[in-house]
Amino acid sequence: MEPAGTCSSGYQCNGAGVCETNQDSQPAHPNGTTCIKCKLRGAQVQARQRESLCYRCLCDSVHQKFKVAMGKYSMLRTGDRVLVCFSGGTCSRVLLECVRQVVVPTGRLERGKTSCEVEVLYIDEGRHGQEHELLNQHKLLTIVESFGWRLNIVKLEETRRGTEGARAPESLEHSELMQHLWQHLEACDDLSIRQDIRAYLRRQLITQIATARSCTKVLLGTCASRLATVALADMVKGRGFSMPADIQYVDRREISGSPQNSGPVVLQPMRDTVLKDLTLLCRHEKWDTLTPSLPLMKEAVHMQSLNSLTAQFVAQLQDDLPSSVHTILRTVGKLQPFQFNEPELKRTSMSRKAKIPLQGSEHDGHVYPLCSVCRAPTQEDSGRDLRPIDVNHDKQIAEGSHPVWLCWSCRQHIL
C-alpha cells in the first residue's frame, strides 16, 4: 500500500490526486539524486554552485533573482518607457522572457507587475552581405514579434552621424570625437583597444537611441560572469578607480553628466545570475538565439586580447571553484560606488544605511567628471582640456566650449 500523499510516480500529489510533477520533467538523475530545492523531482542539472536541481527549480531561481532585483532597487515604475537591449545571445534572450513576466502594457495590474511601454533594440555590429545576417534578421523579427514589442534595428555605424534629437549642446565636439574613434578603430592593430572602442561606440549608440525614443530606462542582460570579467579586465587596464561604477544594478551617469538631465537610466537586473544557469535554462526551454555576427574588422583567429584572456581565466576559475564569480563581485563591491549608482527612489534611505559615503556625493565633497570616451569617472589629476578630435592636440579649445575629460586608460591606450 502506498503512503498517503504519494502516487505511483513517487511524487507528492494534491488532494484531488493530481501529481505535482511538471509535464516536461525528465526522469531522475541516473545516480538517483533528487532536487535539493523542491525535494520532489529528480535532479536534472547541476546549476549554481554545483547544486543538483530540476529544471523547474532552476527556472524559478532565475526569475526570482530577476524579480528581487527589480523590486529591491525600484527599477521600473508605472508609465516608464523601457528599452531592452537584445544582442541575440543567451543572457539577453532570458532577459526578454523575464521582462515579459513583470511588465504588462495596459489594464489592471497584478501584484508584482508594472505597466510600461517596452521597445527592443538590436545593434548590428557585423559586416554586410553575409547570408547568415539575413537569417539572423528573420529570426530576430520572429522572436520580438512573439512579445508584441516594437523592434529597433540599428547598425553600429550610426554613431558616425548620431541620431536626430539625441545630441547634447556639445554635439559638434562629440560627433568629432566619435569620428575620431571610428578612424582609430579602422587603423588600430591592437585587438584589445579595438574591442574597447566598439564597446564605447555601442554604449553611446544605446544612449542615443534611448534618448531619441524618449525611453527613460535601459535594461541590459549583463550577467554576473560578464561583470566579473569586466572588473578584472578594467583592473588590468588601469581603470581601478572607476571599476565599482560598472558592476552596480543602477547606473544614472548619463543623467548626472548631462546638462539637460535627459539621458536614460541603465539597469542590470541579471547581475546576480551566472552564465551557466542562463545557458542551461535557455537550452531547456529551446529559446532561439542569434548566430554571432562577423566583426566589422577582420580579425585573425589566433589573435588574443586582454578581454578574451580574462574571460578564459574567469571561466576556468569558475569551473574549478564554482563560487569564484560571486567572490569577485563581492570583493569589487566593497569599493565605494558613485553617486550615480544610487537607485532613483531610494537614494536618501540607502545613503543613510551606507557605512561609507558614496563617491561624488555631497558627503564625499567631490564631483568626478566623466571621461569623454569611455564615460568612466575621472580624477582631476588624470588630465583635462585635451582635444581628442585632434591627434596632435594642437588646436585650442573654443571659448565657451565644454571641457573634455579623459581617464588615464583612454589617454594611454586609445587616444
Side-chain angles (χ1 to χ4, degrees):
M1 184 174 180
E2 297 177 359
T6 62
C7 66
S8 58
S9 64
Y11 295 102
Q12 295 291 333
C13 294
N14 57 22
V18 179
C19 182
E20 292 184 354
T21 180
N22 196 4
Q23 294 180 354
D24 60 347
S25 61
Q26 302 175 3
H29 196 272
N31 60 10
T33 306
T34 58
C35 175
I36 65 173
K37 188 174 182 180
C38 66
K39 310 293 185 182
L40 300 177
R41 293 174 289 273
Q44 298 163 323
V45 65
Q46 281 194 335
R48 299 194 290 193
Q49 297 183 19
R50 294 179 181 172
E51 299 175 356
S52 300
L53 299 175
C54 62
Y55 277 113
R56 181 192 291 184
C57 289
L58 174 62
C59 181
D60 292 343
S61 175
V62 172
H63 288 299
Q64 184 64 21
K65 288 181 180 179
F66 175 84
K67 292 179 180 179
V68 168
M70 297 289 288
K72 181 178 180 180
Y73 295 94
S74 301
M75 292 188 177
L76 297 182
R77 293 184 295 174
T78 301
D80 281 339
R81 289 178 60 92
V82 183
L83 184 68
V84 182
C85 296
F86 179 54
S87 65
T90 300
C91 299
S92 57
R93 184 66 179 87
V94 177
L95 175 63
L96 292 179
E97 297 291 339
C98 291
V99 172
R100 175 158 58 178
Q101 290 198 359
V102 300
V103 170
V104 293
T106 55
R108 184 176 180 180
L109 295 180
E110 302 177 7
R111 182 177 180 181
K113 294 192 175 183
T114 308
S115 178
C116 297
E117 185 174 349
V118 181
E119 297 188 14
V120 179
L121 172 63
Y122 174 74
I123 299 179
D124 184 2
E125 302 183 34
R127 300 200 298 269
H128 310 306
Q130 302 295 331
E131 182 179 355
H132 73 274
E133 289 297 330
L134 299 177
L135 297 176
N136 271 349
Q137 289 192 6
H138 175 72
K139 189 181 297 185
L140 177 64
L141 292 173
T142 303
I143 293 174
V144 178
E145 284 178 357
S146 65
F147 294 91
W149 299 331
R150 176 190 173 95
L151 173 63
N152 301 277
I153 302 178
V154 185
K155 300 185 184 302
L156 189 62
E157 297 94 310
E158 292 296 320
T159 50
R160 289 174 180 258
R161 64 172 181 264
T163 303
E164 184 179 357
R167 290 295 187 181
E170 63 274 17
S171 58
L172 178 60
E173 294 179 4
H174 200 83
S175 61
E176 292 174 339
L177 174 59
M178 292 297 104
Q179 183 66 24
H180 177 73
L181 289 181
W182 267 103
Q183 293 174 356
H184 198 113
L185 175 62
E186 295 171 351
C188 182
D189 295 330
D190 191 305
L191 183 57
S192 299
I193 296 178
R194 189 184 302 170
Q195 291 175 346
D196 289 346
I197 293 178
R198 279 209 303 262
Y200 304 152
L201 295 173
R202 188 188 314 120
R203 182 66 175 261
Q204 175 63 27
L205 186 57
I206 291 174
T207 302
Q208 291 176 9
I209 298 300
T211 305
R213 298 296 304 164
S214 301
C215 294
T216 56
K217 305 289 177 63
V218 172
L219 292 182
L220 302 180
T222 316
C223 65
S225 304
R226 174 60 182 167
L227 289 176
T229 301
V230 170
L232 293 184
D234 284 350
M235 181 176 61
V236 174
K237 298 171 186 175
R239 300 195 187 111
F241 176 75
S242 62
M243 188 164 53
D246 298 326
I247 65 167
Q248 309 298 328
Y249 289 96
V250 181
D251 189 341
R252 298 169 47 252
R253 75 181 73 185
E254 296 302 331
I255 293 181
S256 302
S258 174
Q260 296 180 337
N261 292 339
S262 58
V265 179
V266 179
L267 307 171
Q268 300 183 127
M270 312 295 290
R271 179 188 180 275
D272 282 340
T273 309
V274 296
L275 178 60
K276 178 183 177 181
D277 293 1
L278 298 176
T279 303
L280 291 172
L281 177 60
C282 197
R283 289 179 178 176
H284 175 258
E285 299 293 341
K286 298 180 180 179
W287 290 331
D288 288 334
T289 56
L290 304 184
T291 305
S293 303
L294 297 177
L296 287 172
M297 308 298 170
K298 294 183 178 180
E299 299 172 358
V301 179
H302 64 276
M303 293 180 65
Q304 293 283 359
S305 66
L306 286 175
N307 301 317
S308 60
L309 291 175
T310 306
Q312 295 173 12
F313 171 74
V314 172
Q316 184 63 45
L317 200 62
Q318 181 71 5
D319 290 339
D320 297 337
L321 300 172
S323 61
S324 298
V325 166
H326 291 296
T327 301
I328 294 173
L329 291 182
R330 281 195 303 267
T331 303
V332 179
K334 296 181 182 298
L335 300 176
Q336 290 177 299
F338 291 84
Q339 174 90 5
F340 52 74
N341 293 129
E342 288 185 281
E344 189 173 2
L345 298 179
K346 299 184 178 181
R347 294 180 213 165
T348 306
S349 59
M350 294 187 70
S351 296
R352 290 199 203 103
K353 297 178 182 179
K355 297 181 181 180
I356 303 176
L358 298 172
Q359 298 192 68
S361 66
E362 61 274 11
H363 305 288
D364 180 57
H366 292 85
V367 177
Y368 300 104
L370 301 179
C371 175
S372 299
V373 177
C374 67
R375 309 299 292 166
T378 62
Q379 294 175 297
E380 294 183 4
D381 58 352
S382 64
R384 65 171 301 179
D385 289 353
L386 298 180
R387 191 70 170 176
I389 60 175
D390 180 40
V391 179
N392 298 321
H393 306 298
D394 56 358
K395 293 183 180 180
Q396 298 295 325
I397 295 180
E399 183 178 358
S401 62
H402 296 269
V404 177
W405 294 82
L406 297 174
C407 66
W408 181 89
S409 179
C410 289
R411 286 197 296 120
Q412 298 293 324
H413 303 296
I414 295 182
L415 297 178

